[in-house]
Amino acid sequence: RWFLSQESFLFKYRLEKIADSSSSGGQGALRRFLNENDLRFEIVPDDEKLKVKPFLLQIPIHRGGGGGGNSSNSDSNTLSKLPSPSEVSSTTYFKIHFSEAADLISKRQCYVSKGYAYVPLPKIVSIITARFRMNLSKSLAKASRVFGQVTNEYNPIAPLLDNMNAQYTGKEYDGKESHLNDGEYELTASNIESYASSMPLCMSQLHNGLKQDSKLRHHGRLQYGLFLKGAGMSMEESLIFFQQHFTKIMSSEKFQKEYTYNIRHMYGKEGKRTSYSAYNCTKIIMGSAPNGGDHHGCPYKHYGNEHLSSLLNKLHIGTPGDRDEIVNLKRGGHFNLACQKHFKVTHPNVESIRELNTGGVGDHPNAWYA
């Protein structure tokens, strides 16, 4: 369901971009999309359109219209205004069976008569998205049915297929290439507090939890410790940083005995001497959920809606509208997009800096520092 929702959301987002460009470009881009993908809908002829024109004048043409309410945003007002007679005459309308237009009908964004919905071209996005979701759902169900057969017949690739949903194919952050490795930007135990306000929410929660409890449990230490390593903190500084906090509630001897080994192990200095990379978002989202006293995990995945809303308000993340959008994305299961929105509202000018690549934000916490 998560994959289906994500893919449908992304498909709708891209199609809406085409529709929005069509609204200012003579609807040509959206028409080309329909033709190139052989999407056929019954077009309402001019004589029939003339008969129902009084009703069509009561339905906004462009996406975002209908449902009542006035927006303070000028673009939203443009999208929600009622059309003029000339706009209705120049706009292509499709005659869609009402069963395919349930979403538009529920929002009063189309005219319905004798079992058919009259849908203007810009709003055909809703119909196409519904078809895309239905076809993708059928394909996924079919793939699920044959999955076991494929893994049984092709044993060499069975482990890969079984773990495919947990694979991360983006950049690995092991601390070797971080721009915080040296010089004035070197991440240390003494300056980490100055960077904490720019951390992704999952890591700022771990940082604050460490300050609050003077300790992190196993999963929290791994998630936060590897994040700091990936951001460029050296093993020596990591030992100093955690010792400064842990020894507020325990002796230095106990810290050395019980926790030093684990930190050295993360850096490949103990055990199999494997240098571990920081956790990506998929691993955090699909990992063990936090219990009472834990601070690890993904807030967008593991927090309740009210808890997340209260936290965003407390941290003064963006505007009230920004915070509502983040919570709505979380509510819809779009955890990665919620994180991306958080990044954008806290770094409003980042897209104007050409040298910065923020493509990994929402896929890996360390992309906030990449």
Side-chain angles (χ1 to χ4, degrees):
R1 288 179 58 188
W2 180 87
F3 178 80
L4 181 63
S5 297
Q6 294 285 348
E7 287 297 307
S8 299
F9 185 90
L10 178 60
F11 178 83
K12 184 179 181 181
Y13 173 79
R14 290 176 172 172
L15 200 55
E16 285 175 345
K17 288 293 185 182
I18 296 176
D20 288 345
S21 66
S22 296
S23 65
S24 59
Q27 305 176 4
L30 194 53
R31 285 179 181 276
R32 285 195 298 274
F33 176 86
L34 295 176
N35 293 332
E36 290 172 0
N37 292 278
D38 197 28
L39 294 168
R40 308 296 180 189
F41 299 97
E42 180 182 353
I43 297 176
V44 178
D46 291 339
D47 57 338
E48 185 175 352
K49 187 196 293 187
L50 188 61
K51 293 179 182 178
V52 297
K53 192 171 184 177
F55 302 103
L56 300 183
L57 287 168
Q58 303 304 310
I59 304 295
I61 288 176
H62 299 295
R63 181 182 62 81
N70 295 321
S71 169
S72 60
N73 184 289
S74 59
D75 292 335
S76 298
N77 285 333
T78 300
L79 290 174
S80 62
K81 69 177 183 179
L82 296 178
S84 65
S86 61
E87 285 180 307
V88 170
S89 299
S90 62
T91 298
T92 300
Y93 283 81
F94 297 102
K95 201 172 181 179
I96 310 290
H97 193 269
F98 79 94
S99 60
E100 286 194 80
D103 182 54
L104 293 176
I105 293 173
S106 67
K107 298 174 182 176
R108 300 184 179 183
Q109 292 189 2
C110 63
Y111 168 63
V112 181
S113 176
K114 299 179 180 179
Y116 288 92
Y118 290 73
V119 181
L121 175 61
K123 290 186 178 176
I124 202 69
V125 168
S126 177
I127 309 298
I128 299 173
T129 302
R131 286 193 180 182
F132 172 82
R133 186 183 179 95
M134 180 181 66
N135 291 335
L136 180 59
S137 180
K138 289 181 179 178
S139 298
L140 288 173
K142 182 178 179 180
S144 178
R145 287 194 296 270
V146 302
F147 189 83
Q149 178 184 345
V150 172
T151 55
N152 289 333
E153 292 180 358
Y154 301 95
N155 291 328
I157 64 170
L160 175 64
L161 295 176
D162 287 337
N163 294 286
M164 187 182 301
N165 65 334
Q167 297 300 309
Y168 170 71
T169 58
K171 179 181 177 181
E172 294 291 349
Y173 294 87
D174 55 10
K176 295 178 181 178
E177 299 180 0
S178 174
H179 72 281
L180 299 180
N181 265 328
D182 47 46
E184 62 178 310
Y185 298 111
E186 182 181 6
L187 187 62
T188 67
S190 60
N191 69 10
I192 187 174
E193 196 64 36
S194 63
Y195 289 106
S197 61
S198 297
M199 289 180 181
L201 194 59
C202 56
M203 298 305 165
S204 66
Q205 285 299 96
L206 281 162
H207 183 79
N208 292 331
L210 176 59
K211 292 200 301 181
Q212 171 189 301
D213 300 339
S214 298
K215 185 178 180 180
L216 286 176
R217 293 180 177 177
H218 176 69
H219 291 295
R221 292 198 307 275
L222 279 176
Q223 182 175 322
Y224 192 40
L226 289 172
F227 168 78
L228 296 178
K229 177 191 174 189
M233 180 176 281
S234 68
M235 184 185 73
E236 293 74 18
E237 288 294 330
S238 184
L239 286 166
I240 294 172
F241 171 67
F242 282 104
Q243 184 171 357
Q244 286 176 345
H245 285 281
F246 277 50
T247 52
K248 293 177 181 178
I249 60 171
M250 67 180 68
S251 67
S252 296
E253 290 75 15
K254 182 175 182 179
F255 175 83
Q256 293 289 339
K257 182 179 179 180
E258 298 184 10
Y259 299 102
T260 297
Y261 178 90
N262 291 333
I263 296 173
R264 289 176 55 82
H265 189 271
M266 286 190 291
Y267 282 81
K269 302 301 181 181
E270 300 289 355
K272 295 181 180 179
R273 298 190 179 276
T274 300
S275 183
Y276 296 93
S277 297
Y279 286 2
N280 59 67
C281 291
T282 301
K283 185 176 182 68
I284 294 172
I285 289 171
M286 300 184 68
S288 61
N291 296 313
D294 288 329
H295 300 286
H296 69 276
C298 172
Y300 305 112
K301 163 70 173 180
H302 297 121
Y303 287 8
N305 296 332
E306 292 186 5
H307 184 185
L308 178 63
S309 178
S310 176
L311 177 61
L312 295 175
N313 287 328
K314 179 181 178 181
L315 297 175
H316 304 291
I317 303 298
T319 65
D322 291 329
R323 296 193 285 272
D324 288 343
E325 184 176 347
I326 292 173
V327 173
N328 287 334
L329 287 169
K330 174 262 189 296
R331 185 180 289 113
H334 309 298
F335 313 123
N336 307 68
L337 296 177
C339 186
Q340 289 176 10
K341 179 64 178 180
H342 178 191
F343 180 83
K344 289 179 180 178
V345 300
T346 53
H347 302 80
N349 300 318
V350 72
E351 293 183 355
S352 63
I353 305 175
R354 294 184 178 181
E355 309 89 69
L356 292 182
N357 179 10
T358 60
V361 172
D363 293 325
H364 204 298
N366 285 86
W368 285 55
Y369 284 155

